[in-house]
Amino acid sequence: MIVKRLELHKFSVFEKAEIDFSPGINVFIGANGTGKTHLLKLLYCLLKTVENAKRDGSTDQKLIGGMLREKLARVFRPDDLNTGRLVWRVGGRISARARVDTASGSTAFTLSNLGNLNLEEACLLESGSALFVPSREALSIYEGFLQAYEKRELAFDETLYDLCVALSGSLLRETFAQEVSALAKPLEEMLGGQIVLKGNRFYRRTGDGLLEAHLLAEGLRKVASLLHLVQNGSLSPGGVLLWDEPEANLNPKLVARFAGLIQEIAAQGVQVFLATHDFLLSQELSLAAEYSQAANVSMRFFALSLTKAGAAQVAAGDNLVDLEPNPILDEFAAHYDREQRLFAGSHAAPRKARP
């Protein structure tokens, strides 16, 4: 499944946006509150609803619309699960509209600020597998989380629950495991071993034995999660990976390898969407795109910012240099200027008084 385009009208902080995606890697940057995570979550809700409908054999448009409304509520978690709060906040009764185009068709809906959702069309020709990885890692909370979430009203949004459900899947049979071995190899190399689920706990297995996932560095737990998702078929060629702040809790020394890992995942046929605040990660990907180090992986970069009216706007380019504004580069330039001023001030020789 390839996601080609997303159109938004009065949804969340987006008054109007039309975004054309790369079939490889799509990188979103922007200040807090500009809608990066909301874009990823909306894409996930649309793709996951279609995926679930196809799995269940559902074709009734009204039923699928109800599934989508429920998914939006549990992924975004507005007050009282009222999806009407996802509509652009202006006076009067208005409706938001969203449409996603894939290589095989489209899914579109309207949503009123009263919470009424109308599914205009739903593409069920091809679903693929949509996987959302939140900024918080899941392995350390996996034990008992599914049961607790299902029996109690927890404050976590449903992306973390869905991730744990995906992690609970059984490993692929050996025949199918060979088909995803190319995807698993770079993950195993970065993790420094394999990941195993024993009972209700995850471990990293090396030649020295087993190490509890709780004792792994948090950044490596994300790599371990992806490896297990590959091994059980949840992340596979033809799928879509939506990753929010993959650099969180990752040592800067690993960022270059992490950027290479993302390119390897895309090279194996997984379309990647990621939102980041990290200079090193975004710059490493941009350099690869600019200097053709990833010639077999296409990339697209998006800078999100707010207008004076508070509406999110999206600028697109083939690398970071093409983006204006670029909040990450702008702030690093400002940091450099501050450093130079401090340096100049601390080394200014005091004038000697004349006798």
Side-chain angles (χ1 to χ4, degrees), residues 41 46 61 82 101 156 170 175 179 184 191 194 207 241 330 345:
K41 284 186 172 181
L46 288 164
Q61 196 124 319
N82 176 13
D101 297 325
F156 298 101
S170 301
T175 303
E179 297 178 2
L191 182 62
Q194 298 178 325
L241 172 62
D330 290 347

Side-chain angles (χ1 to χ4, degrees), residues 263 286-296:
Q263 294 171 57
S286 180
L287 289 173
E290 189 175 355
Y291 293 101
S292 301
Q293 296 172 10
N296 59 333

Side-chain angles (χ1 to χ4, degrees), residues 82-98:
N82 176 13
T83 52
R85 296 183 62 79
L86 301 178
V87 178
W88 177 262
R89 304 287 180 88
V90 294
R93 294 188 179 182
I94 63 170
S95 293
R97 186 177 188 273

Side-chain angles (χ1 to χ4, degrees), residues 222-240:
K222 293 185 175 182
V223 178
S225 295
L226 287 182
L227 177 56
H228 190 71
L229 293 166
V230 169
Q231 292 173 334
N232 70 14
S234 297
L235 179 62
S236 60
V240 175

Side-chain angles (χ1 to χ4, degrees), residues 4-275:
K4 301 174 67 176
R5 181 179 174 86
L6 178 66
E7 297 178 7
L8 295 176
H9 178 70
K10 298 188 184 307
F11 183 87
S12 180
V13 294
F14 297 92
E15 186 175 14
K16 184 178 181 180
E18 298 177 354
I19 311 171
D20 294 307
F21 299 120
S22 162
I25 300 172
N26 298 275
V27 182
F28 296 92
I29 65 171
N32 290 329
T34 54
K36 300 183 303 300
T37 300
H38 279 198
L39 274 180
L40 297 189
K41 284 186 172 181
L42 175 59
L43 277 173
Y44 177 69
C45 289
L46 288 164
L47 298 176
K48 197 65 178 178
T49 298
V50 171
E51 178 186 336
N52 290 339
K54 186 172 182 180
R55 180 200 63 201
D56 298 341
S58 302
T59 57
D60 183 84
Q61 196 124 319
K62 187 174 181 180
L63 177 61
I64 299 171
M67 294 169 60
L68 176 57
R69 183 180 180 279
E70 180 76 8
K71 197 67 182 175
L72 288 167
R74 298 201 171 276
V75 166
F76 284 91
R77 292 196 68 86
D79 283 354
D80 300 321
L81 300 181
N82 176 13
T83 52
R85 296 183 62 79
L86 301 178
V87 178
W88 177 262
R89 304 287 180 88
V90 294
R93 294 188 179 182
I94 63 170
S95 293
R97 186 177 188 273
R99 174 191 175 99
V100 62
D101 297 325
T102 70
S104 63
S106 305
T107 300
F109 71 90
T110 58
L111 175 67
S112 76
N113 53 5
L114 297 179
N116 300 316
L117 187 145
N118 176 47
L119 189 68
E120 296 180 337
E121 53 184 314
C123 166
L124 300 178
L125 300 176
E126 178 189 13
S127 60
S129 176
L131 189 66
F132 189 101
V133 179
S135 57
R136 178 170 183 170
E137 61 83 25
L139 290 193
S140 63
I141 66 168
Y142 175 83
E143 189 173 9
F145 181 78
L146 290 176
Q147 294 84 349
Y149 192 94
E150 290 166 355
K151 294 180 179 179
R152 299 172 179 84
E153 187 63 34
L154 301 183
F156 298 101
D157 73 60
E158 201 164 73
T159 60
L160 193 57
Y161 171 77
D162 287 349
L163 180 58
C164 287
V165 170
L167 286 168
S168 70
S170 301
L171 297 180
L172 295 170
R173 293 180 180 177
E174 185 175 352
T175 303
F176 296 103
Q178 293 175 356
E179 297 178 2
V180 297
S181 59
L183 193 54
K185 184 178 178 180
L187 291 162
E188 289 183 358
E189 291 176 351
M190 190 168 184
L191 182 62
Q194 298 178 325
I195 190 74
V196 294
L197 177 60
K198 295 188 64 177
N200 208 18
R201 276 196 148 202
F202 281 96
Y203 298 82
R204 182 183 67 176
R205 181 169 60 198
T206 65
D208 297 327
L210 297 176
L211 179 69
E212 301 92 314
H214 296 70
L215 302 182
L216 278 176
E218 188 167 347
L220 290 180
R221 289 181 212 154
K222 293 185 175 182
V223 178
S225 295
L226 287 182
L227 177 56
H228 190 71
L229 293 166
V230 169
Q231 292 173 334
N232 70 14
S234 297
L235 179 62
S236 60
V240 175
L241 172 62
L242 303 113
W243 203 347
D244 195 15
E245 297 183 31
E247 76 282 355
N249 299 300
L250 192 69
N251 188 290
K253 289 186 176 181
L254 291 177
V255 168
R257 291 182 62 189
F258 216 66
L261 173 63
I262 292 169
Q263 294 171 57
E264 288 282 349
I265 291 173
Q268 296 302 319
V270 177
Q271 189 178 18
V272 179
F273 296 82
L274 62 90

